[in-house]
Amino acid sequence: LNSLKKCNMLFSVSNSIRSMLISKGISKSKIKIIYNPSPMIQKAQPNLRNKLRISKEKKIILYAGRLSKDKGIHKTIEAISDLDDVVFLIIGKKRDYYSNLKKLIKNLKIEDKVIFLGFIDNSKIGKYFSIADLVTHPCSFYEPLSRMLIEAACYGLPIIASNSGGNSEIVVNNTNGYIVSNKEGLKNKIKKLLNNSKLANIMGNNSTVLVAPKFDPEVIGKSLIKEYINIKKI
């Protein structure tokens, strides 16, 4: 912390982290927001549904990241337990919390609704975003700025997430998705989006038009150059 206080300028990946740094005694004038970049991405049309044996009638929810309790994956599993025509795709290394999730799925008797895909290289993960209808991230972890949610926005997907860390800087409540505070809210919003394709499409489009542009690499690059010039003037 003392080292940070001696810096002429600090780059924060979100307003959430900026607020936390200020609370630790860092001068707010030293902290600039520079988001992690992600390009706008056109959805591919991979033949994944057939490979994964997912019928066209079923909606797909996606999670991609670390498998741990604080990421809230179990909350989505519980939320879809009595919903019809839905499949939850989970991307992440099958370790740590994986066995707990498997037990939960078995107890709920919804083995046909959840598919663990294991680790997938980032260069190949786009095709899974391309077939998804919705991304959920009801984490309890203080998420600085979720890479998964940024990519979901850049793929034009509606998002449901908890109000943790920088999530609300990607998910604009009632615009490109929902911010939820409990399991009941999560379940209700999942059901609402899965049952209303028009609403889901509108929110997905809002992700593309209103949210994704601020993570454009060109925009981020110009911001970095501007701040670099300012640093040299100090």
Side-chain angles (χ1 to χ4, degrees):
L1 184 59
N2 288 330
S3 297
L4 293 179
K5 290 180 179 179
K6 293 178 182 178
C7 293
N8 292 322
M9 186 173 292
L10 293 171
F11 292 151
S12 169
V13 296
S14 65
N15 281 295
S16 174
I17 294 299
R18 181 176 185 269
S19 297
M20 184 176 69
L21 290 172
I22 293 171
S23 72
K24 299 294 183 181
I26 306 296
S27 172
K28 62 183 179 180
S29 63
K30 292 184 177 181
I31 308 170
K32 303 297 181 181
I33 307 298
I34 301 291
Y35 288 126
N36 291 325
S38 180
M40 193 78 72
I41 307 164
Q42 290 291 329
K43 289 185 179 181
Q45 297 296 325
N47 192 28
L48 270 183
R49 280 186 174 267
N50 289 338
K51 291 182 180 179
L52 297 173
R53 297 181 181 179
I54 301 173
S55 66
K56 294 181 179 180
E57 293 74 25
K58 293 185 177 181
K59 300 291 186 178
I60 296 175
I61 300 174
L62 177 68
Y63 169 83
R66 177 166 52 88
L67 305 191
S68 65
K69 186 175 182 179
D70 57 14
K71 292 291 187 176
I73 305 163
H74 60 285
K75 297 177 184 177
T76 298
I77 291 173
E78 292 169 347
I80 68 168
S81 61
D82 59 352
L83 298 182
D84 297 323
D85 295 328
V86 61
V87 174
F88 185 25
L89 299 183
I90 302 174
I91 297 174
K93 289 184 178 179
K94 296 179 181 180
R95 61 184 186 187
D96 301 328
Y97 200 56
Y98 170 69
S99 59
N100 298 70
L101 295 175
K102 289 288 288 184
K103 289 177 183 177
L104 174 62
I105 293 164
K106 184 177 181 180
N107 290 338
L108 292 172
K109 299 179 180 180
I110 56 169
E111 290 92 342
D112 60 327
K113 293 183 181 181
V114 183
I115 300 175
F116 288 95
L117 297 168
F119 172 79
I120 295 175
D121 187 84
N122 194 56
S123 63
K124 299 178 181 179
I125 207 170
K127 58 187 178 181
Y128 296 93
F129 278 97
S130 293
I131 65 169
D133 296 287
L134 170 66
V135 164
T136 58
H137 192 42
C139 63
S140 57
F141 169 72
Y142 192 87
E143 192 79 67
L145 198 70
S146 169
R147 181 72 188 179
M148 177 184 71
L149 297 191
I150 293 174
E151 291 185 349
C154 291
Y155 273 99
L157 294 173
I159 306 166
I160 301 174
S162 58
N163 190 17
S164 179
N167 288 353
S168 60
E169 294 174 53
I170 304 171
V171 185
V172 182
N173 195 37
N174 293 310
T175 300
N176 72 318
Y178 298 105
I179 294 292
V180 295
S181 57
N182 52 48
K183 292 181 181 179
E184 183 179 354
L186 174 64
K187 181 175 181 177
N188 288 340
K189 297 307 183 186
I190 288 176
K191 189 174 181 179
K192 184 174 184 177
L193 284 174
L194 295 186
N195 290 339
N196 191 332
S197 296
K198 183 178 179 179
L199 176 62
N201 288 335
I202 289 172
M203 288 192 162
N205 185 65
N206 287 340
S207 277
T208 300
V209 176
L210 302 178
V211 179
K214 65 182 179 181
F215 301 105
D216 187 306
E218 185 175 345
V219 173
I220 303 301
K222 287 180 180 179
S223 296
L224 280 170
I225 292 171
K226 178 182 177 182
E227 297 304 337
Y228 176 72
I229 292 171
N230 290 337
I231 291 173
K232 293 196 72 174
K233 291 179 181 178
I234 296 176

